[in-house]
Amino acid sequence: MSQHDASPLVEIRGLRFARGNRLIFDGIDLDIPRGKITAIMGPSGTGKTTLLKLIGGQLRPLEGTIRVDGEEVPRLSRVQLYELRKRMGFLFQSGALLTDLDVYENVAFPLREHTNLPEPMLRDLVLMKLQAVGLRGARHLMPSELSGGMARRVALARAIALDPMMMMYDEPFTGQDPISMGVLVKLIRTLNDALGLSSIVVSHDVGETVAISDYIYLLSGGKVVGQGTPDELGRSDSAWAQQFLRGLPDGPVPFHYSADDYAEDLLLGTEAGRG
Amino acid sequence: MMHSRSVEIWVGLFVAAGLAALFMLAMQVSNLSMLNDDAGYDVTARFENIGGLKVRSPVTMAGVRVGRVSHIGFDPQSFEAVVTLHISSAYDGLPGDTSANIFTAGLLGEQYVGLEPGGEEEVLRQGSEIMLTQSALVLEQLIGQFLFSKGAEGEAK
Amino acid sequence: MLNALQQLGRTALGFFERLGRGHILFYYLLLGIPSVLVRPRLLLQQLFSVGVLSLLIILVSGFFVGMVLGLQGYNTLVDFGAEESLGTVVALTLVRELGPVVTALLFAGRAGSALTAEIGLMKATEQLSGMEMMAVDPIKRVMAPRFLAGFISMPLLAAIFSAVGVIGGYFVGVGLLGVDEGAYWSQMQAKVDLHDDIYNGVIKSLVFGVVVTWIAIFEGNDAVPTSEGVSRATTRTVVHSSLAVLGLDFILTALMFGDN
């Protein structure tokens, strides 16, 4: 299928997924359009990363369909799944660089595994990818010598090494200082536009995510509780969306974890002491 | 990848050392150097009783190992054990009337076939049979005979 | 009472589930071997870290074990006037038992624990997951080369151990205690059989190589991806593979040496 296809790149319908007895997704419908940056936001523990793993085929849903570029991910055979993954880039929160290889070899890794390019061409490609993330000069460093932000940029260079059709970013901004955060924001935007990617950004960092995304889905309690462009969401009258986007401590998401009545709980202790 | 040359050299050394050790075990430690004689020839010998003789037990002549027992069978007609001896080709001049005895190495040691040369011009070759044989001495029988003869002496007195 | 039964049932189910996962992994490891043979460079790297790096401990322990055998064997045999059999005693003990078994135990401690820790950490740092998302099968890329390297290294290490041990026995018996040099070698050669003793010793160490490497890789892959989980998995590797080696040694010995 071509880039100009109007159909969404990723189409999720009626997705249900449980971990043990805990239902994580309870009927989710999502569309990820082509060529855009789509953000999936929600509080910690709503299974945003799980959603990415479901799209990447590392987990299987209980129910529902997940289509990526027309292919139904949970039904794919191992070989077909691996073929599909060659067209997906995935940026792990930790970077997941191979610690026994240096920066250059890390970026070269997918190319060496999946292609038989001659060494000079491979070198050019690796240097191009490293140049794109601004780390061409760091090619001889080992992953342990990199700062967190640099490691994530190297991982980004590695993820785009095979020129994927889509990129998935798992919490790209978490734990970054403001400068590397700015660098990453800029990189995600420019890579998406320059390479014609479709990007999915999973995050709970409201400011940065709102700044770069074209469309936002808000997840909570296993459901989609809000969606729209950043402007639409900002103007929405959903109390939940307002609480999340503004970071209010109390609201539809209560400050207190659900518990028995406070006064009664305290009284119980007093009675027990007397008894 | 950085030290790939030295990695290769080390692995080469390791594999070479391992193979050398296996080779040393085979040649220097085991009896391979004496057994490696498929070029030898087989002769058979019949015994009334082979005692504890086993396949691969040594075959010696004048105390020198010349071969091994390669097969032990049983002849249902004569009720004898048929032992096939594999003799190294280096010892191909054994006289045709060589005799075979089953001996025990030491009091409790393992049993082996001892060959004693005869004087014939004819030599043993593939498929020959050794006609003169002496069965294994079974310790229990010896003790039994000894006690029996002692008893007989006592009665005679 | 019911709780205790339930606990027992849960433990048993957990055990069988792990056993099952272990066998599935074993199956995939075997399937992964052809792809390792196509890329011998991966194997080379692992032969280095599994085999070469275990060499020193094997050499040193082999020599000392051989020397101890020489000394102990001599003291026992000399009472029977049979000290010429020292070579036989040393060589048979090493080739049949101590070579394969002690090598496997040392291997479990040296290479097995390192394998578990390495794979467990790769899992904890999402490197395995990352490979999967890059459409690279971690079983083929990471585990199968290590598995094959363990399988190849073990018999070589065991042979080196036995050979060095025989030399250690020679050093003590002939060099220090005055056993006749000719008797040391000739008695050894007369009694040690290529088929019965050396082949069977090699078969033992091949089996141990498979089992120890398999356990190590499984524990790494199955580790809870935290630092505590990895350290537990490493301990389990050493304990389980040592027990497996000793148990299997008995079974193999009974099978191979039982009937003659």
Side-chain angles (χ1 to χ4, degrees), chain C residues 174-249:
Chain C
V174 177
L176 301 180
L177 299 172
V179 173
D180 179 57
E181 180 181 352
Y184 185 84
W185 293 115
S186 68
Q187 290 275 332
M188 191 187 291
Q189 292 173 355
K191 287 287 169 55
V192 179
D193 187 83
L194 180 71
H195 180 269
D196 274 353
D197 301 316
I198 294 186
Y199 284 179
N200 285 348
V202 171
I203 290 174
K204 269 188 184 179
S205 53
L206 282 173
V207 173
F208 295 160
V210 169
V211 170
V212 173
T213 327
W214 172 30
I215 291 180
I217 291 173
F218 173 69
E219 289 293 355
N221 191 34
D222 210 50
V224 180
T226 60
S227 38
E228 196 203 1
V230 173
S231 88
R232 273 165 188 260
T234 311
T235 312
R236 269 205 306 270
T237 292
V238 177
V239 173
H240 289 185
S241 45
S242 304
L243 290 177
V245 163
L246 295 171
L248 275 172
D249 182 49

Side-chain angles (χ1 to χ4, degrees), chain B residues 51-155:
Chain B
L53 197 70
K54 293 186 204 89
V55 171
R56 272 197 291 280
S57 291
V59 176
T60 66
M61 181 170 256
V64 177
R65 188 169 179 143
V66 296
R68 64 188 158 88
V69 173
S70 63
H71 182 252
I72 294 175
F74 180 69
D75 181 351
Q77 257 89 51
S78 61
F79 306 112
E80 284 175 327
V82 182
V83 176
T84 309
L85 309 175
H86 186 81
I87 315 282
S88 303
S89 50
Y91 311 100
D92 56 358
L94 305 183
D97 59 346
T98 294
S99 64
N101 306 290
I102 296 179
F103 292 128
T104 306
L107 190 57
L108 299 170
E110 66 170 326
Q111 293 189 298
Y112 65 96
V113 177
L115 299 180
E116 297 202 5
E120 235 175 62
E121 293 279 300
E122 194 75 9
V123 295
L124 288 175
R125 50 184 101 246
Q126 173 71 26
S128 306
E129 183 172 347
I130 293 177
M131 304 309 291
L132 297 169
T133 63
Q134 163 97 51
S135 287
L137 290 176
V138 179
L139 201 59
E140 293 90 322
Q141 281 181 359
L142 277 181
I143 294 170
Q145 280 169 7
F146 176 73
L147 291 176
F148 189 74
S149 62
K150 277 286 177 193
E153 275 174 34
E155 268 170 36

Side-chain angles (χ1 to χ4, degrees), chain A residues 58 78 85 94 113-114, chain C residues 39 126 132 134-135 137 141:
Chain A
Q58 284 192 313
R78 206 178 164 76
R85 280 185 190 160
S94 61
E113 290 293 322
H114 295 307
Chain C
R39 297 177 64 184
E126 291 185 305
E132 272 183 32
M134 286 187 278
D137 186 349
R141 178 63 172 72

